[in-house]
Amino acid sequence: MEEIRPHWVVAPEQAAADFIAGYKATTARSYAPMLRRWLHFCRDSHLDPWGVSRVHIEAYLRRMPASSAQGAATVICGYYSWAHLNGLTESDLGWGVRRPRVGRHRAGTYATREELARMLTISREDGGDTWGLLAVLILMGTRVGETIALTVGDVERTREGLRITLYRKPNHTDVLDAPGGVVQALTPLLDARHTGRLLRWHGRPMSYEDARVIVEAIAERAGCEQRITPHSLRRSFVTLARDLGVDDEDIMAMTGHVDVTMIEYYDRGRRQRDSVAARAVDDALRDAK
């Protein structure tokens, strides 16, 4: 029987290449083979990759060990979420896929509400780029990479305060209103700089290593019990926002997550869209001084 090829606006293979291109090289090298194997499975099973359902994806995941299936599910579902956002499919074909259980996820380190408040106070006293970095990481839950990549042009002054454009991965942009604590920290930097990177260190653009050293030093001065890294602050933002009763959708709008699974992983609290999450965390830490 002759195979009937569906009519595609964009071939799944080309879409896969575009999706992978949005990631950094190390992530792309990990994700590309997993997505390629899924598309090969679709071809061998005479499935249209733009016509699959949750049932097909879950059947495919059951063919591999749970530890491998977790990674494959993240890539495949991320691919279909990206495809839907870019108008290639009418719906998110990976929505609701049940992920295999592989035991307890390693939670990582995080700072308590009181520790975060102390870190903010110390960074405010230091001022400058230290305050700007800590304010954005703690009060907005951003990734360190997208934070240090901010330019002066990415921060717009508005009547209400500041509006920040964040370039997420992969190829995704969010425009977010900054909470009051971030406005206070970034305004002096905007007053002093007109072009180029917003956050700098010793006269040059701040690097990831710079940010890590700064955060770890502030955490030590704040008496944090655990070793705190920039990513620990992202985890802490999710934990505190959830503890304050902020909806997952509002948290994800701020952090840039597209899958609530990662919110579950990051939440170390009591398990209890616009900038709701950031404002709640900002207000709570002001009260915790």
Side-chain angles (χ1 to χ4, degrees):
M1 180 177 178
E2 183 179 356
E3 180 182 358
I4 300 176
R5 289 186 61 81
H7 174 71
W8 295 322
V9 175
V10 176
E13 293 79 7
Q14 180 58 55
D18 294 340
F19 169 68
I20 294 297
Y23 288 94
K24 293 182 178 178
T26 52
T27 304
R29 284 195 294 270
S30 172
Y31 280 13
M34 289 188 276
L35 190 51
R36 190 161 53 244
R37 285 192 287 270
W38 161 248
L39 294 177
H40 287 170
F41 169 79
C42 290
R43 182 191 61 197
D44 295 342
S45 304
H46 304 288
L47 290 172
D48 174 8
W50 289 154
V52 298
S53 68
R54 187 185 78 180
V55 173
H56 298 114
I57 299 173
E58 290 177 352
Y60 171 73
L61 296 175
R62 286 196 294 269
R63 296 161 56 95
M64 60 185 73
S67 56
S68 301
Q70 274 280 354
T74 296
V75 176
I76 294 169
C77 292
Y79 168 61
Y80 283 122
S81 175
W82 174 88
H84 177 53
L85 287 173
N86 284 272
L88 303 182
T89 57
E90 293 184 359
S91 62
D92 181 353
L93 301 177
W95 178 258
V97 167
R98 291 170 290 188
R99 312 294 180 93
R101 294 184 177 275
V102 292
R104 190 171 182 83
H105 183 82
R106 189 175 179 180
T109 63
Y110 76 108
T112 66
R113 174 173 173 167
E114 291 73 22
E115 289 170 345
L116 290 173
R118 291 199 297 270
M119 290 180 72
L120 273 178
T121 298
I122 293 171
S123 66
R124 185 183 301 111
E125 292 170 350
D126 287 357
D129 297 274
T130 296
W131 186 18
L133 173 68
L134 271 291
V136 175
L137 293 179
I138 292 176
L139 299 177
M140 297 185 70
T142 55
R143 298 178 180 90
V144 64
E146 62 198 23
T147 303
I148 60 176
L150 285 171
T151 67
V152 173
D154 294 329
V155 184
E156 175 191 1
R157 298 179 192 257
T158 67
R159 183 175 300 177
E160 293 76 21
L162 297 177
R163 185 166 296 142
I164 300 177
T165 299
L166 289 166
Y167 297 94
R168 312 283 200 180
K169 60 177 188 180
N171 293 331
H172 179 60
T173 302
D174 279 333
V175 180
L176 303 170
D177 291 326
V182 171
V183 173
Q184 292 176 7
L186 296 188
T187 297
L189 299 181
L190 292 170
D191 290 340
R193 295 164 186 170
H194 305 290
T195 61
R197 291 282 191 88
L198 178 64
L199 296 175
R200 306 176 192 180
W201 199 242
H202 299 308
R204 55 176 170 75
M206 186 180 292
S207 67
Y208 175 84
E209 183 62 19
D210 295 331
R212 183 189 64 79
V213 170
I214 293 168
V215 168
E216 289 185 355
I218 294 293
E220 184 174 354
R221 290 166 60 190
C224 296
E225 292 187 6
Q226 303 183 56
R227 176 176 175 268
I228 302 300
T229 67
H231 200 73
S232 303
L233 298 181
R234 181 168 167 82
R235 190 178 295 114
S236 304
F237 174 88
V238 172
T239 298
L240 180 54
R242 267 195 157 191
D243 194 46
L244 294 169
V246 179
D247 290 340
D248 285 345
E249 288 186 358
D250 292 318
I251 297 173
M252 292 166 65
M254 186 56 56
T255 61
H257 287 114
V258 297
D259 187 346
V260 74
T261 302
M262 287 309 301
I263 299 295
E264 293 284 352
Y265 285 160
Y266 283 174
D267 179 16
R268 288 291 304 270
R270 292 191 294 270
R271 303 290 178 185
Q272 288 195 9
R273 277 186 248 255
D274 54 58
S275 301
V276 173
R279 289 198 298 269
V281 170
D282 188 15
D283 292 342
L285 295 181
R286 288 175 189 271
D287 296 338
K289 295 176 187 177

